[in-house]
Amino acid sequence: MPTALIAEDEPLLAEELAEALARLWPELAIVARARDGIDALRLVDEHRPDAAFLDIQMPGMSCLEVAQQVGGRTHVVFVTAYDQ
């Protein structure tokens, strides 16, 4: 079963993403949720998900820094609610 982490500092957006993923990819198990970049990095190390859905703008550490730190240990998908 594929696994994923969601890193999103807005709880409602995190829930919407989890619901959309459940509809589109029912086999995917969300194993962790992070509210900032530092927590996301720790949870990637802890859970070793197959994919990490990272919000573009997160407190603590940017999604780009997180992506560099995970260095190929998980597939990274950047997500954002911003139109810029």
Side-chain angles (χ1 to χ4, degrees):
M1 173 182 301
T3 59
L5 161 112
I6 293 175
E8 169 61 67
D9 62 324
E10 296 290 333
L12 291 176
L13 294 176
E15 188 58 36
E16 286 178 14
L17 178 56
E19 290 172 3
L21 288 168
R23 283 191 312 275
L24 298 169
W25 193 358
E27 304 84 18
L28 183 68
I30 305 300
V31 295
R33 292 187 190 193
R35 296 192 67 173
D36 62 53
I38 294 167
D39 201 31
L41 187 57
R42 180 185 64 77
L43 291 169
V44 165
D45 287 339
E46 182 179 328
H47 294 279
R48 305 208 179 274
D50 298 306
F53 292 85
L54 306 177
D55 182 18
I56 293 290
Q57 295 183 351
M58 290 187 294
M61 180 183 284
S62 78
C63 67
L64 296 176
E65 292 171 312
V66 173
Q68 288 175 329
Q69 292 286 326
V70 298
R73 291 179 284 156
T74 185
H75 295 281
V76 172
V77 179
F78 297 119
V79 295
T80 187
Y82 295 101
D83 59 0
Q84 300 173 345

